[in-house]
Amino acid sequence: MKTSKVKLKHQIWLIFFFSIVIFTVMEIYFFHSFSNLTQKRAATYGNQMIEQTRRKIDSVFNDIRVSTGIAVNSKLIQEFSVVDDDYKRAFDSGPYALDLMEYMRSFNSYVNGIVINDIKGRRLHSLDSASGDIFFINPYETFIQKYKDDPLLRKQGMFTTILKDDRTGTEQFFYIAPIVENIGGIYFSQITGYCTVMVNMDKLQGLVENTELTQGSTLYILNSRDEVIASTNSNARGTLFRDVLSMDKDILLNGVKATIDGEDILVQVKGLEQADGWRVVSMIPVRELTADMTPMRKVSIIVGIGIILTMLLTGSFFMNNLMRPLMGLVMDMKKVGRRDMGFRIKVRFTNEVGLLACDINRMMDEMEEMARDMFNTQARLYESELGQKQAEFSALQSQINPHFLYNTLNCISSIGLEYGSREIAQITFCMSKIFRYSIKKDDLVQVKEEIDCIQAYMKIILIRYENKFSMELDVEDRLMDMQTPKMILQPIVENSVYHGLERMDQGGRLLVTGSMDAHGDVCFCITDTGRGMEPEELAALQAKLGMEYPEQASEGQTAHGIGLTNIHHRLRLMFGEGYGIAIESRSGHGTTVTVKIPKLLNDRNTLDDYPLEE
């Protein structure tokens, strides 16, 4: 069903219905998002606490690694592991090694004892309590030997798994590092002994128990075999952490919800940097993360119901107080739509609908006034544009006549000086015909009048140059009665003579043709076999033709810069962009100028004809 066919009041009720549905969905989504956000924030807090614990443990293990590294690289301890002189061992390297171990143990409270063994079985130890007896029981020797045989031990020290003393029930783990002789003796670069550090597990337990998590949360430190080294759950010590072993460790690295003993648990894991395979694991019950959400859930439900009821009441009020005035406004607008321009909308109410009706009436008054102003403005713009074009046309035409007059008078002067004969009379007669033609007030003339003007000019030129070159006219008869702008061909013929043929010794030729092209436009071609133009000169002239307005001729500028460009822009002003002058020229081969104008039929009385006498 298209909504355009549904009544407006039904559409409004649909809008309210969908608004209620969308609001309900958004409230559910908000509650769910807020619940997840609460869990994430709590998980982030737990992750920060775990990170702090991990850093502390890594710091403890790093201190053990560094102090043990200093000890095994000590010169006297290396001498103790290789020297055979009992006196030197007893009074030189031995006391130094013992003092160093005592200092390490007293400086680091996480160290319970230190033992140095050489490869011959000799031993030096420093112990904190009776728990150090574990160094001297047979299970310890078997336990620690597998680490001594590990080839990876030579590269770096290792933290061991848990060793349980069956006699006392105590549990211990150690850090073992090799003593590699580097003092230059016969055992150079060989393992000559081992340094074993007993880690204080009670101190690690205290460090873990001080971590602040939720009430039901549990924190574990696991070794590479997932044995619990320390935990906030004291009953978990010494047991395998089977709940973690049953999960995918890669998933645990990013935190995962798991069900353990029927309860949803958020499990997070952080690996230790100083002990390969060791991890810090936290387990936080999800119910503790969302415990604060129960009151908010109740408040959200109550608020949602209240908003829905309010929207229903608002919809009913909206329908009763808006639809009636709106329907009246619609009926009046239909009359306006029927182009009843004199009609104005009735103002039935003083609320926003009434203000809208007043605004529409005012808008209609302004539109009518604007329409009248627009028509008047368009008429004034049209008259202004016509005046501007006429002024531009007159300016262009006024630049042509003085130029022609200047050249012609020079020609008459030259002939008079050379001959003093009747040719001057003939030239003067032809000139009078040309000037009578040029001062005609008509903008458009017959093509035959323009051709007569060219013939008169050719007579003058042939007398001037004593028939040094030939001139021909070939214009189709059907063009003769058509119309053309006045004085558009003679300046071009003049350019061909003075800039193309004048410098030739003999044999030049000038041809003027007129025809209609395939589109029905009239084309005149003025072709000479003169010197032509260089590519740079031709490009400059074509650039001038492409300008929007003709340029004024500068001092010494040739007729190329005034005659052709003025005629071209004159034609474009009269007939548009598709008309005007095109030039083709090659140096040493001549120039062709093509003039294109539209077909103009003579629909009025024939203009006065001024035939030129032979």
Side-chain angles (χ1 to χ4, degrees):
M1 180 178 63
K2 296 182 179 180
T3 55
S4 59
K5 296 182 179 180
V6 181
K7 291 184 177 180
L8 182 60
K9 63 179 181 179
H10 295 159
Q11 293 185 27
I12 294 176
W13 278 120
L14 285 175
I15 291 174
F16 275 96
F17 173 77
F18 283 114
S19 299
I20 293 172
V21 173
I22 292 173
F23 172 79
T24 304
V25 173
M26 289 180 63
E27 186 173 3
I28 295 173
Y29 174 78
F30 169 78
F31 180 80
H32 180 73
S33 300
F34 188 80
S35 177
N36 289 338
L37 178 62
T38 303
Q39 294 184 39
K40 289 180 180 179
R41 294 184 64 182
T44 301
Y45 172 76
N47 186 56
Q48 293 175 351
M49 300 304 299
I50 295 171
E51 179 65 16
Q52 292 179 7
T53 304
R54 182 194 68 79
R55 291 179 181 177
K56 292 178 182 178
I57 297 173
D58 272 334
S59 178
V60 170
F61 283 9
N62 184 62
D63 290 341
I64 294 174
R65 282 182 177 273
V66 172
S67 57
T68 304
I70 294 174
V72 298
N73 289 316
S74 172
K75 179 179 179 181
L76 292 177
I77 287 183
Q78 291 188 8
E79 286 181 355
F80 174 83
S81 66
V82 298
V83 70
D84 293 328
D85 187 351
D86 293 338
Y87 179 84
K88 189 172 183 179
R89 286 171 60 86
F91 296 97
D92 188 2
S93 59
Y96 171 82
L98 186 60
D99 289 341
L100 180 60
M101 289 189 295
E102 288 289 340
Y103 174 78
M104 289 173 56
R105 188 174 56 79
S106 61
F107 177 79
N108 193 337
S109 61
Y110 288 88
V111 176
N112 273 347
I114 305 174
V115 173
I116 294 178
N117 300 86
D118 63 11
I119 57 178
K120 295 182 179 180
R122 292 173 294 191
R123 175 182 298 172
L124 188 65
H125 61 271
S126 173
L127 304 177
D128 183 33
S129 63
S131 62
D133 292 341
I134 197 170
F135 283 107
F136 305 99
I137 61 177
N138 291 331
Y140 166 77
E141 294 294 339
T142 304
F143 174 79
I144 207 67
Q145 187 62 42
K146 62 182 179 180
Y147 292 95
K148 293 180 180 180
D149 296 336
D150 193 339
L152 297 177
L153 182 64
R154 182 179 178 88
K155 298 180 180 179
Q156 61 180 2
M158 292 183 176
F159 285 95
T160 69
T161 56
I162 294 178
L163 173 62
K164 185 175 182 179
D165 187 357
D166 294 331
R167 296 179 301 122
T168 61
T170 59
E171 298 173 344
Q172 299 292 342
F173 74 97
F174 311 90
Y175 176 76
I176 181 171
I179 301 174
V180 180
E181 199 269 321
N182 57 14
I183 58 177
I186 60 175
Y187 299 100
F188 180 76
S189 192
Q190 296 182 20
I191 296 177
T192 59
Y194 300 91
C195 179
T196 305
V197 177
M198 180 190 300
V199 183
N200 190 335
M201 294 184 66
D202 292 331
K203 292 283 290 183
L204 288 179
Q205 178 66 25
L207 187 151
V208 171
E209 289 178 349
N210 291 330
T211 303
E212 297 180 359
L213 293 174
T214 61
Q215 183 177 0
S217 301
T218 308
L219 188 67
Y220 301 90
I221 299 177
L222 306 180
N223 62 15
S224 58
R225 290 182 57 191
D226 290 326
E227 295 173 324
V228 180
I229 302 300
S231 173
T232 55
N233 181 7
S234 58
N235 296 328
R237 291 188 59 183
T239 62
L240 289 177
F241 192 66
R242 300 189 182 278
D243 291 330
V244 174
L245 289 174
S246 63
M247 300 180 189
D248 187 348
K249 295 181 180 179
D250 293 333
I251 298 178
L252 291 175
L253 293 177
N254 298 321
V256 67
K257 287 183 181 179
T259 302
I260 300 176
D261 296 333
E263 185 176 13
D264 291 335
I265 303 294
L266 180 64
V267 182
Q268 294 176 303
V269 177
K270 292 284 185 180
L272 296 180
E273 296 178 356
Q274 299 297 326
D276 293 338
W278 290 52
R279 296 174 293 167
V280 179
V281 180
S282 69
M283 302 180 65
I284 306 175
V286 175
R287 58 178 174 80
E288 294 185 0
L289 299 177
T290 59
D292 296 334
M293 290 296 298
T294 301
M296 183 169 291
R297 183 185 297 111
K298 295 180 180 178
V299 172
S300 299
I301 294 174
I302 295 173
V303 172
I305 293 174
I307 292 176
I308 291 173
L309 292 176
T310 302
M311 293 178 67
L312 291 174
L313 293 175
T314 303
S316 299
F317 179 82
F318 183 83
M319 293 293 296
N320 292 330
N321 289 273
L322 179 65
M323 289 306 301
R324 284 192 301 135
L326 188 61
M327 291 304 299
L329 181 62
V330 170
M331 296 300 296
D332 290 343
M333 289 299 296
K334 288 182 178 179
K335 294 182 179 180
V336 174
R338 291 194 291 266
R339 298 185 178 182
D340 187 358
M341 297 303 296
F343 178 79
R344 292 296 181 265
I345 297 175
K346 297 179 181 179
V347 181
R348 299 178 175 87
F349 299 89
T350 59
N351 55 12
E352 287 78 6
V353 177
L355 295 176
L356 180 61
C358 294
D359 290 339
I360 293 175
N361 290 336
R362 184 171 58 254
M363 180 184 67
M364 293 175 64
D365 294 337
E366 292 176 354
M367 288 177 61
E368 290 182 0
E369 184 177 357
M370 288 175 61
R372 288 191 298 269
D373 292 341
M374 182 178 64
F375 291 142
N376 294 334
T377 302
Q378 287 180 344
R380 289 195 298 269
L381 289 175
Y382 179 74
E383 293 174 357
S384 176
E385 184 177 1
L386 287 178
Q388 181 181 0
K389 287 185 177 292
Q390 183 65 33
E392 292 175 349
F393 173 82
S394 299
L396 292 174
Q397 187 177 16
S398 66
Q399 294 180 17
I400 297 174
N401 294 333
H403 186 72
F404 167 72
L405 178 59
Y406 176 82
N407 288 333
T408 304
L409 291 177
N410 283 340
C411 178
I412 295 173
S413 177
S414 298
I415 293 295
L417 291 175
E418 290 184 14
Y419 296 95
S421 63
R422 65 184 183 86
E423 284 83 2
I424 294 178
Q426 292 181 0
I427 292 175
T428 304
F429 181 80
C430 291
M431 278 300 301
S432 65
K433 296 296 183 180
I434 294 174
F435 275 114
R436 287 184 63 193
Y437 169 72
S438 65
I439 63 176
K440 292 183 60 163
K441 295 183 179 181
D442 296 325
D443 294 329
L444 296 177
V445 298
Q446 290 182 338
V447 172
K448 62 181 179 180
E449 294 181 276
E450 188 75 6
I451 298 302
D452 290 341
C453 179
I454 295 174
Q455 288 176 336
Y457 177 76
M458 286 182 174
K459 287 182 179 182
I460 296 172
I461 294 304
L462 290 176
I463 295 172
R464 168 67 179 87
Y465 292 97
E466 300 178 341
N467 298 315
K468 184 171 68 174
F469 35 77
S470 62
M471 295 184 176
E472 298 179 20
L473 282 168
D474 184 14
V475 179
E476 295 179 2
D477 293 336
R478 59 176 175 169
L479 303 182
M480 292 300 185
D481 292 331
M482 294 182 183
Q483 290 187 317
T484 179
K486 184 175 61 176
M487 295 295 288
I488 63 169
L489 299 182
Q490 185 277 332
I492 302 175
V493 173
E494 181 182 357
N495 272 345
S496 298
V497 173
Y498 284 102
H499 299 284
L501 300 175
E502 185 179 30
R503 299 183 184 181
M504 297 183 64
D505 295 332
Q506 198 71 28
R509 181 171 180 264
L510 175 66
L511 174 63
V512 179
T513 63
S515 61
M516 293 182 63
D517 62 10
H519 302 286
D521 294 324
V522 178
C523 293
F524 296 101
C525 292
I526 297 90
T527 303
D528 65 78
T529 60
R531 65 183 183 90
M533 287 184 281
E534 297 293 336
E536 296 79 5
E537 183 181 3
L538 177 63
L541 182 57
Q542 290 175 339
K544 288 182 180 180
L545 295 179
M547 294 180 181
E548 184 176 0
Y549 297 103
E551 298 179 352
Q552 296 293 334
S554 60
E555 184 178 356
Q557 184 177 350
T558 65
H560 286 290
I562 179 172
L564 296 181
T565 54
N566 285 345
I567 293 172
H568 175 70
H569 289 283
R570 177 184 169 192
L571 295 178
R572 292 181 66 181
L573 283 172
M574 294 181 68
F575 305 123
E577 294 291 333
Y579 300 96
I581 289 177
I583 301 176
E584 296 179 1
S585 181
R586 289 175 57 194
S587 179
H589 292 79
T591 302
T592 298
V593 179
T594 302
V595 180
K596 182 178 180 181
I597 62 173
K599 178 182 177 181
L600 302 174
L601 297 177
N602 188 8
D603 55 355
R604 58 186 178 85
N605 294 331
T606 304
L607 298 173
D608 293 338
D609 190 14
Y610 300 93
L612 300 178
E613 297 180 1
E614 296 292 336

